[in-house]
mmCIF file of all heavy atoms in Angstrom:
data_model
loop_
_atom_site.group_PDB
_atom_site.id
_atom_site.type_symbol
_atom_site.label_atom_id
_atom_site.label_comp_id
_atom_site.label_asym_id
_atom_site.label_seq_id
_atom_site.Cartn_x
_atom_site.Cartn_y
_atom_site.Cartn_z
ATOM 1 N N ALA N 1 -36.092 12.399 -57.743
ATOM 2 C CA ALA N 1 -35.142 11.829 -58.698
ATOM 3 C C ALA N 1 -35.838 11.373 -59.974
ATOM 4 O O ALA N 1 -35.295 11.519 -61.075
ATOM 5 C CB ALA N 1 -34.393 10.665 -58.048
ATOM 6 N N ARG N 2 -37.046 10.839 -59.860
ATOM 7 C CA ARG N 2 -37.763 10.403 -61.067
ATOM 8 C C ARG N 2 -38.149 11.604 -61.922
ATOM 9 O O ARG N 2 -38.081 11.530 -63.152
ATOM 10 C CB ARG N 2 -38.999 9.595 -60.671
ATOM 11 C CG ARG N 2 -39.782 9.066 -61.869
ATOM 12 C CD ARG N 2 -40.927 8.192 -61.435
ATOM 13 N NE ARG N 2 -40.475 6.862 -61.068
ATOM 14 C CZ ARG N 2 -41.079 6.087 -60.165
ATOM 15 N NH1 ARG N 2 -42.110 6.553 -59.489
ATOM 16 N NH2 ARG N 2 -40.625 4.874 -59.918
ATOM 17 N N ASN N 3 -38.545 12.706 -61.283
ATOM 18 C CA ASN N 3 -38.812 13.919 -62.059
ATOM 19 C C ASN N 3 -37.570 14.334 -62.848
ATOM 20 O O ASN N 3 -37.657 14.721 -64.017
ATOM 21 C CB ASN N 3 -39.224 15.065 -61.123
ATOM 22 C CG ASN N 3 -40.695 15.050 -60.786
ATOM 23 O OD1 ASN N 3 -41.428 14.175 -61.238
ATOM 24 N ND2 ASN N 3 -41.130 15.995 -59.986
ATOM 25 N N ALA N 4 -36.410 14.270 -62.178
ATOM 26 C CA ALA N 4 -35.164 14.633 -62.851
ATOM 27 C C ALA N 4 -34.877 13.690 -64.013
ATOM 28 O O ALA N 4 -34.489 14.126 -65.106
ATOM 29 C CB ALA N 4 -34.009 14.609 -61.847
ATOM 30 N N ALA N 5 -35.071 12.391 -63.799
ATOM 31 C CA ALA N 5 -34.814 11.412 -64.853
ATOM 32 C C ALA N 5 -35.740 11.636 -66.042
ATOM 33 O O ALA N 5 -35.321 11.551 -67.203
ATOM 34 C CB ALA N 5 -34.982 10.001 -64.295
ATOM 35 N N GLN N 6 -36.998 11.918 -65.773
ATOM 36 C CA GLN N 6 -37.942 12.158 -66.865
ATOM 37 C C GLN N 6 -37.585 13.425 -67.633
ATOM 38 O O GLN N 6 -37.720 13.477 -68.860
ATOM 39 C CB GLN N 6 -39.362 12.246 -66.304
ATOM 40 C CG GLN N 6 -39.889 10.905 -65.805
ATOM 41 C CD GLN N 6 -41.184 11.032 -65.016
ATOM 42 O OE1 GLN N 6 -41.558 12.114 -64.567
ATOM 43 N NE2 GLN N 6 -41.873 9.918 -64.850
ATOM 44 N N ALA N 7 -37.101 14.454 -66.917
ATOM 45 C CA ALA N 7 -36.677 15.681 -67.601
ATOM 46 C C ALA N 7 -35.469 15.407 -68.490
ATOM 47 O O ALA N 7 -35.379 15.926 -69.609
ATOM 48 C CB ALA N 7 -36.350 16.765 -66.582
ATOM 49 N N ILE N 8 -34.546 14.575 -68.008
ATOM 50 C CA ILE N 8 -33.358 14.239 -68.792
ATOM 51 C C ILE N 8 -33.743 13.460 -70.051
ATOM 52 O O ILE N 8 -33.226 13.717 -71.144
ATOM 53 C CB ILE N 8 -32.355 13.443 -67.941
ATOM 54 C CG1 ILE N 8 -31.721 14.355 -66.886
ATOM 55 C CG2 ILE N 8 -31.283 12.798 -68.806
ATOM 56 C CD1 ILE N 8 -30.874 13.623 -65.870
ATOM 57 N N THR N 9 -34.688 12.526 -69.935
ATOM 58 C CA THR N 9 -35.080 11.723 -71.092
ATOM 59 C C THR N 9 -35.787 12.565 -72.147
ATOM 60 O O THR N 9 -35.743 12.246 -73.339
ATOM 61 C CB THR N 9 -36.017 10.570 -70.678
ATOM 62 O OG1 THR N 9 -37.205 11.102 -70.077
ATOM 63 C CG2 THR N 9 -35.327 9.641 -69.697
ATOM 64 N N ARG N 10 -36.438 13.653 -71.713
ATOM 65 C CA ARG N 10 -37.124 14.529 -72.681
ATOM 66 C C ARG N 10 -36.162 15.496 -73.346
ATOM 67 O O ARG N 10 -36.519 16.147 -74.325
ATOM 68 C CB ARG N 10 -38.234 15.333 -71.987
ATOM 69 C CG ARG N 10 -39.354 14.493 -71.432
ATOM 70 C CD ARG N 10 -40.563 15.351 -71.083
ATOM 71 N NE ARG N 10 -40.224 16.457 -70.221
ATOM 72 C CZ ARG N 10 -40.203 16.399 -68.890
ATOM 73 N NH1 ARG N 10 -40.480 15.255 -68.288
ATOM 74 N NH2 ARG N 10 -39.900 17.467 -68.167
ATOM 75 N N GLN N 11 -34.960 15.635 -72.798
ATOM 76 C CA GLN N 11 -34.012 16.616 -73.321
ATOM 77 C C GLN N 11 -33.471 16.154 -74.670
ATOM 78 O O GLN N 11 -33.003 15.037 -74.825
ATOM 79 C CB GLN N 11 -32.853 16.814 -72.343
ATOM 80 C CG GLN N 11 -31.956 17.982 -72.687
ATOM 81 C CD GLN N 11 -30.902 18.196 -71.610
ATOM 82 O OE1 GLN N 11 -30.722 17.356 -70.745
ATOM 83 N NE2 GLN N 11 -30.217 19.314 -71.669
ATOM 84 N N THR N 12 -33.514 17.037 -75.635
ATOM 85 C CA THR N 12 -33.062 16.706 -76.978
ATOM 86 C C THR N 12 -31.594 16.308 -76.968
ATOM 87 O O THR N 12 -30.757 16.981 -76.386
ATOM 88 C CB THR N 12 -33.249 17.912 -77.917
ATOM 89 O OG1 THR N 12 -34.617 18.294 -77.882
ATOM 90 C CG2 THR N 12 -32.833 17.573 -79.334
ATOM 91 N N GLY N 13 -31.301 15.191 -77.624
ATOM 92 C CA GLY N 13 -29.910 14.779 -77.765
ATOM 93 C C GLY N 13 -29.403 13.886 -76.657
ATOM 94 O O GLY N 13 -28.304 13.367 -76.750
ATOM 95 N N ARG N 14 -30.191 13.672 -75.588
ATOM 96 C CA ARG N 14 -29.719 12.780 -74.529
ATOM 97 C C ARG N 14 -30.056 11.339 -74.910
ATOM 98 O O ARG N 14 -30.973 11.059 -75.677
ATOM 99 C CB ARG N 14 -30.373 13.128 -73.191
ATOM 100 C CG ARG N 14 -30.093 14.514 -72.703
ATOM 101 C CD ARG N 14 -28.614 14.859 -72.737
ATOM 102 N NE ARG N 14 -27.889 14.256 -71.651
ATOM 103 C CZ ARG N 14 -27.612 14.880 -70.504
ATOM 104 N NH1 ARG N 14 -28.026 16.112 -70.295
ATOM 105 N NH2 ARG N 14 -26.920 14.282 -69.568
ATOM 106 N N GLY N 15 -29.373 10.439 -74.349
ATOM 107 C CA GLY N 15 -29.593 9.032 -74.662
ATOM 108 C C GLY N 15 -28.466 8.532 -75.537
ATOM 109 O O GLY N 15 -27.409 8.137 -75.036
ATOM 110 N N PRO N 16 -28.640 8.547 -76.867
ATOM 111 C CA PRO N 16 -27.568 8.039 -77.733
ATOM 112 C C PRO N 16 -26.249 8.787 -77.560
ATOM 113 O O PRO N 16 -25.178 8.212 -77.712
ATOM 114 C CB PRO N 16 -28.150 8.253 -79.130
ATOM 115 C CG PRO N 16 -29.626 8.276 -78.944
ATOM 116 C CD PRO N 16 -29.843 8.913 -77.610
ATOM 117 N N SER N 17 -26.318 10.088 -77.260
ATOM 118 C CA SER N 17 -25.087 10.865 -77.143
ATOM 119 C C SER N 17 -24.414 10.703 -75.789
ATOM 120 O O SER N 17 -23.329 11.213 -75.564
ATOM 121 C CB SER N 17 -25.389 12.354 -77.374
ATOM 122 O OG SER N 17 -26.252 12.841 -76.363
ATOM 123 N N GLY N 18 -25.055 9.993 -74.891
ATOM 124 C CA GLY N 18 -24.460 9.792 -73.577
ATOM 125 C C GLY N 18 -25.518 9.923 -72.500
ATOM 126 O O GLY N 18 -26.501 10.640 -72.664
ATOM 127 N N PRO N 19 -25.333 9.211 -71.383
ATOM 128 C CA PRO N 19 -26.352 9.243 -70.337
ATOM 129 C C PRO N 19 -26.386 10.563 -69.593
ATOM 130 O O PRO N 19 -25.368 11.238 -69.439
ATOM 131 C CB PRO N 19 -25.930 8.099 -69.405
ATOM 132 C CG PRO N 19 -24.448 7.990 -69.605
ATOM 133 C CD PRO N 19 -24.204 8.346 -71.042
ATOM 134 N N GLY N 20 -27.573 10.924 -69.148
ATOM 135 C CA GLY N 20 -27.681 12.026 -68.218
ATOM 136 C C GLY N 20 -27.186 11.572 -66.854
ATOM 137 O O GLY N 20 -26.953 10.375 -66.623
ATOM 138 N N GLN N 21 -27.034 12.514 -65.946
ATOM 139 C CA GLN N 21 -26.441 12.171 -64.651
ATOM 140 C C GLN N 21 -27.253 12.752 -63.504
ATOM 141 O O GLN N 21 -27.626 13.918 -63.531
ATOM 142 C CB GLN N 21 -25.004 12.692 -64.571
ATOM 143 C CG GLN N 21 -24.291 12.289 -63.288
ATOM 144 C CD GLN N 21 -22.805 12.567 -63.377
ATOM 145 O OE1 GLN N 21 -22.044 11.806 -63.948
ATOM 146 N NE2 GLN N 21 -22.393 13.687 -62.809
ATOM 147 N N ILE N 22 -27.524 11.917 -62.515
ATOM 148 C CA ILE N 22 -28.142 12.342 -61.253
ATOM 149 C C ILE N 22 -27.164 11.985 -60.137
ATOM 150 O O ILE N 22 -26.614 10.881 -60.111
ATOM 151 C CB ILE N 22 -29.498 11.659 -61.032
ATOM 152 C CG1 ILE N 22 -30.515 12.139 -62.073
ATOM 153 C CG2 ILE N 22 -30.024 11.931 -59.618
ATOM 154 C CD1 ILE N 22 -31.858 11.455 -61.975
ATOM 155 N N THR N 23 -26.946 12.921 -59.240
ATOM 156 C CA THR N 23 -26.043 12.694 -58.108
ATOM 157 C C THR N 23 -26.844 12.729 -56.815
ATOM 158 O O THR N 23 -27.617 13.667 -56.576
ATOM 159 C CB THR N 23 -24.932 13.757 -58.056
ATOM 160 O OG1 THR N 23 -24.185 13.725 -59.270
ATOM 161 C CG2 THR N 23 -24.002 13.521 -56.885
ATOM 162 N N LEU N 24 -26.669 11.704 -55.997
ATOM 163 C CA LEU N 24 -27.258 11.650 -54.658
ATOM 164 C C LEU N 24 -26.144 11.931 -53.661
ATOM 165 O O LEU N 24 -25.201 11.136 -53.543
ATOM 166 C CB LEU N 24 -27.886 10.279 -54.406
ATOM 167 C CG LEU N 24 -28.932 9.812 -55.428
ATOM 168 C CD1 LEU N 24 -29.387 8.393 -55.113
ATOM 169 C CD2 LEU N 24 -30.128 10.762 -55.459
ATOM 170 N N ARG N 25 -26.241 13.047 -52.959
ATOM 171 C CA ARG N 25 -25.160 13.482 -52.066
ATOM 172 C C ARG N 25 -25.703 13.659 -50.656
ATOM 173 O O ARG N 25 -26.782 14.234 -50.461
ATOM 174 C CB ARG N 25 -24.571 14.797 -52.563
ATOM 175 C CG ARG N 25 -23.490 15.388 -51.662
ATOM 176 C CD ARG N 25 -23.035 16.739 -52.186
ATOM 177 N NE ARG N 25 -22.430 16.613 -53.519
ATOM 178 C CZ ARG N 25 -22.292 17.634 -54.351
ATOM 179 N NH1 ARG N 25 -22.715 18.839 -54.024
ATOM 180 N NH2 ARG N 25 -21.725 17.437 -55.525
ATOM 181 N N THR N 26 -24.979 13.202 -49.656
ATOM 182 C CA THR N 26 -25.366 13.394 -48.258
ATOM 183 C C THR N 26 -24.246 14.104 -47.516
ATOM 184 O O THR N 26 -23.070 13.840 -47.737
ATOM 185 C CB THR N 26 -25.657 12.051 -47.556
ATOM 186 O OG1 THR N 26 -24.492 11.225 -47.586
ATOM 187 C CG2 THR N 26 -26.809 11.323 -48.235
ATOM 188 N N ARG N 27 -24.649 14.992 -46.641
ATOM 189 C CA ARG N 27 -23.705 15.740 -45.823
ATOM 190 C C ARG N 27 -24.340 16.019 -44.454
ATOM 191 O O ARG N 27 -25.567 15.993 -44.297
ATOM 192 C CB ARG N 27 -23.329 17.074 -46.478
ATOM 193 C CG ARG N 27 -22.526 16.961 -47.770
ATOM 194 C CD ARG N 27 -21.127 16.438 -47.499
ATOM 195 N NE ARG N 27 -20.312 16.428 -48.707
ATOM 196 C CZ ARG N 27 -20.224 15.401 -49.549
ATOM 197 N NH1 ARG N 27 -20.926 14.305 -49.330
ATOM 198 N NH2 ARG N 27 -19.441 15.477 -50.609
ATOM 199 N N ALA N 28 -23.498 16.331 -43.478
ATOM 200 C CA ALA N 28 -23.972 16.796 -42.174
ATOM 201 C C ALA N 28 -23.996 18.316 -42.182
ATOM 202 O O ALA N 28 -23.112 18.961 -42.751
ATOM 203 C CB ALA N 28 -23.066 16.286 -41.068
ATOM 204 N N ALA N 29 -25.021 18.884 -41.583
ATOM 205 C CA ALA N 29 -25.112 20.338 -41.414
ATOM 206 C C ALA N 29 -25.253 20.620 -39.927
ATOM 207 O O ALA N 29 -26.073 19.986 -39.243
ATOM 208 C CB ALA N 29 -26.307 20.902 -42.180
ATOM 209 N N ARG N 30 -24.464 21.556 -39.428
ATOM 210 C CA ARG N 30 -24.443 21.824 -37.995
ATOM 211 C C ARG N 30 -25.072 23.174 -37.688
ATOM 212 O O ARG N 30 -24.990 24.105 -38.489
ATOM 213 C CB ARG N 30 -23.010 21.761 -37.461
ATOM 214 C CG ARG N 30 -22.469 20.341 -37.438
ATOM 215 C CD ARG N 30 -21.009 20.246 -37.072
ATOM 216 N NE ARG N 30 -20.598 18.849 -36.890
ATOM 217 C CZ ARG N 30 -20.365 18.010 -37.895
ATOM 218 N NH1 ARG N 30 -20.480 18.427 -39.138
ATOM 219 N NH2 ARG N 30 -20.018 16.764 -37.642
ATOM 220 N N GLN N 31 -25.715 23.240 -36.518
ATOM 221 C CA GLN N 31 -26.361 24.465 -36.038
ATOM 222 C C GLN N 31 -27.312 25.014 -37.099
ATOM 223 O O GLN N 31 -27.177 26.117 -37.617
ATOM 224 C CB GLN N 31 -25.305 25.504 -35.658
ATOM 225 C CG GLN N 31 -24.324 25.056 -34.591
ATOM 226 C CD GLN N 31 -25.013 24.628 -33.300
ATOM 227 O OE1 GLN N 31 -26.036 25.191 -32.897
ATOM 228 N NE2 GLN N 31 -24.457 23.621 -32.636
ATOM 229 N N VAL N 32 -28.327 24.197 -37.417
ATOM 230 C CA VAL N 32 -29.302 24.524 -38.459
ATOM 231 C C VAL N 32 -30.632 24.872 -37.809
ATOM 232 O O VAL N 32 -31.069 24.216 -36.857
ATOM 233 C CB VAL N 32 -29.477 23.334 -39.429
ATOM 234 C CG1 VAL N 32 -30.577 23.617 -40.439
ATOM 235 C CG2 VAL N 32 -28.165 23.041 -40.137
ATOM 236 N N THR N 33 -31.296 25.901 -38.328
ATOM 237 C CA THR N 33 -32.630 26.276 -37.872
ATOM 238 C C THR N 33 -33.662 25.761 -38.861
ATOM 239 O O THR N 33 -33.633 26.116 -40.038
ATOM 240 C CB THR N 33 -32.771 27.804 -37.726
ATOM 241 O OG1 THR N 33 -31.795 28.268 -36.776
ATOM 242 C CG2 THR N 33 -34.160 28.189 -37.233
ATOM 243 N N LEU N 34 -34.562 24.906 -38.376
ATOM 244 C CA LEU N 34 -35.641 24.372 -39.198
ATOM 245 C C LEU N 34 -36.956 24.669 -38.511
ATOM 246 O O LEU N 34 -37.192 24.215 -37.388
ATOM 247 C CB LEU N 34 -35.477 22.858 -39.387
ATOM 248 C CG LEU N 34 -34.170 22.381 -40.040
ATOM 249 C CD1 LEU N 34 -34.086 20.865 -39.995
ATOM 250 C CD2 LEU N 34 -34.074 22.881 -41.470
ATOM 251 N N PHE N 35 -37.794 25.460 -39.170
ATOM 252 C CA PHE N 35 -39.087 25.835 -38.596
ATOM 253 C C PHE N 35 -38.943 26.413 -37.186
ATOM 254 O O PHE N 35 -39.587 25.985 -36.233
ATOM 255 C CB PHE N 35 -40.044 24.636 -38.576
ATOM 256 C CG PHE N 35 -40.471 24.202 -39.947
ATOM 257 C CD1 PHE N 35 -40.099 22.967 -40.446
ATOM 258 C CD2 PHE N 35 -41.218 25.032 -40.754
ATOM 259 C CE1 PHE N 35 -40.468 22.565 -41.711
ATOM 260 C CE2 PHE N 35 -41.595 24.636 -42.020
ATOM 261 C CZ PHE N 35 -41.225 23.407 -42.504
ATOM 262 N N LYS N 36 -38.023 27.387 -37.088
ATOM 263 C CA LYS N 36 -37.802 28.159 -35.871
ATOM 264 C C LYS N 36 -37.201 27.340 -34.732
ATOM 265 O O LYS N 36 -37.109 27.825 -33.610
ATOM 266 C CB LYS N 36 -39.099 28.818 -35.391
ATOM 267 C CG LYS N 36 -39.658 29.845 -36.357
ATOM 268 C CD LYS N 36 -40.882 30.539 -35.777
ATOM 269 C CE LYS N 36 -41.401 31.618 -36.717
ATOM 270 N NZ LYS N 36 -42.564 32.312 -36.169
ATOM 271 N N ARG N 37 -36.786 26.114 -35.003
ATOM 272 C CA ARG N 37 -36.117 25.306 -33.979
ATOM 273 C C ARG N 37 -34.661 25.120 -34.373
ATOM 274 O O ARG N 37 -34.353 24.771 -35.513
ATOM 275 C CB ARG N 37 -36.787 23.939 -33.821
ATOM 276 C CG ARG N 37 -38.156 23.993 -33.180
ATOM 277 C CD ARG N 37 -38.652 22.604 -32.852
ATOM 278 N NE ARG N 37 -37.742 21.903 -31.946
ATOM 279 C CZ ARG N 37 -37.869 20.612 -31.625
ATOM 280 N NH1 ARG N 37 -38.868 19.892 -32.132
ATOM 281 N NH2 ARG N 37 -37.000 20.048 -30.800
ATOM 282 N N ARG N 38 -33.781 25.349 -33.416
ATOM 283 C CA ARG N 38 -32.352 25.210 -33.661
ATOM 284 C C ARG N 38 -31.939 23.768 -33.414
ATOM 285 O O ARG N 38 -32.262 23.196 -32.370
ATOM 286 C CB ARG N 38 -31.577 26.145 -32.722
ATOM 287 C CG ARG N 38 -30.101 26.286 -33.064
ATOM 288 C CD ARG N 38 -29.914 27.110 -34.300
ATOM 289 N NE ARG N 38 -28.511 27.447 -34.523
ATOM 290 C CZ ARG N 38 -28.069 28.040 -35.613
ATOM 291 N NH1 ARG N 38 -28.909 28.370 -36.577
ATOM 292 N NH2 ARG N 38 -26.796 28.332 -35.753
ATOM 293 N N HIS N 39 -31.259 23.186 -34.383
ATOM 294 C CA HIS N 39 -30.808 21.796 -34.257
ATOM 295 C C HIS N 39 -29.278 21.762 -34.302
ATOM 296 O O HIS N 39 -28.663 22.368 -35.174
ATOM 297 C CB HIS N 39 -31.384 20.946 -35.392
ATOM 298 C CG HIS N 39 -32.885 20.844 -35.360
ATOM 299 N ND1 HIS N 39 -33.556 19.911 -34.604
ATOM 300 C CD2 HIS N 39 -33.835 21.584 -35.984
ATOM 301 C CE1 HIS N 39 -34.860 20.064 -34.773
ATOM 302 N NE2 HIS N 39 -35.054 21.071 -35.609
ATOM 303 N N ARG N 40 -28.732 21.051 -33.368
ATOM 304 C CA ARG N 40 -27.283 20.935 -33.305
ATOM 305 C C ARG N 40 -26.735 20.240 -34.545
ATOM 306 O O ARG N 40 -25.659 20.577 -35.040
ATOM 307 C CB ARG N 40 -26.898 20.158 -32.043
ATOM 308 C CG ARG N 40 -25.401 19.984 -31.825
ATOM 309 C CD ARG N 40 -25.140 19.202 -30.552
ATOM 310 N NE ARG N 40 -25.807 17.921 -30.562
ATOM 311 C CZ ARG N 40 -25.315 16.827 -31.155
ATOM 312 N NH1 ARG N 40 -24.143 16.885 -31.780
ATOM 313 N NH2 ARG N 40 -25.980 15.694 -31.124
ATOM 314 N N LEU N 41 -27.489 19.266 -35.049
ATOM 315 C CA LEU N 41 -27.032 18.499 -36.199
ATOM 316 C C LEU N 41 -28.221 18.178 -37.088
ATOM 317 O O LEU N 41 -29.313 17.848 -36.612
ATOM 318 C CB LEU N 41 -26.377 17.190 -35.730
ATOM 319 C CG LEU N 41 -25.688 16.339 -36.806
ATOM 320 C CD1 LEU N 41 -24.492 17.082 -37.390
ATOM 321 C CD2 LEU N 41 -25.251 15.005 -36.209
ATOM 322 N N ALA N 42 -28.028 18.295 -38.392
ATOM 323 C CA ALA N 42 -29.075 17.980 -39.362
ATOM 324 C C ALA N 42 -28.466 17.207 -40.522
ATOM 325 O O ALA N 42 -27.266 17.286 -40.797
ATOM 326 C CB ALA N 42 -29.759 19.251 -39.863
#
């Protein structure tokens, strides 16, 4: 998130013209394979 914020602050025209936006989103994922292991819920 800090990398994203720093990229937004370097973007021309951001700041006075309006804030940049970062969204933190969480969701459940079902029947996911991570590193060759199947997980019922992730």
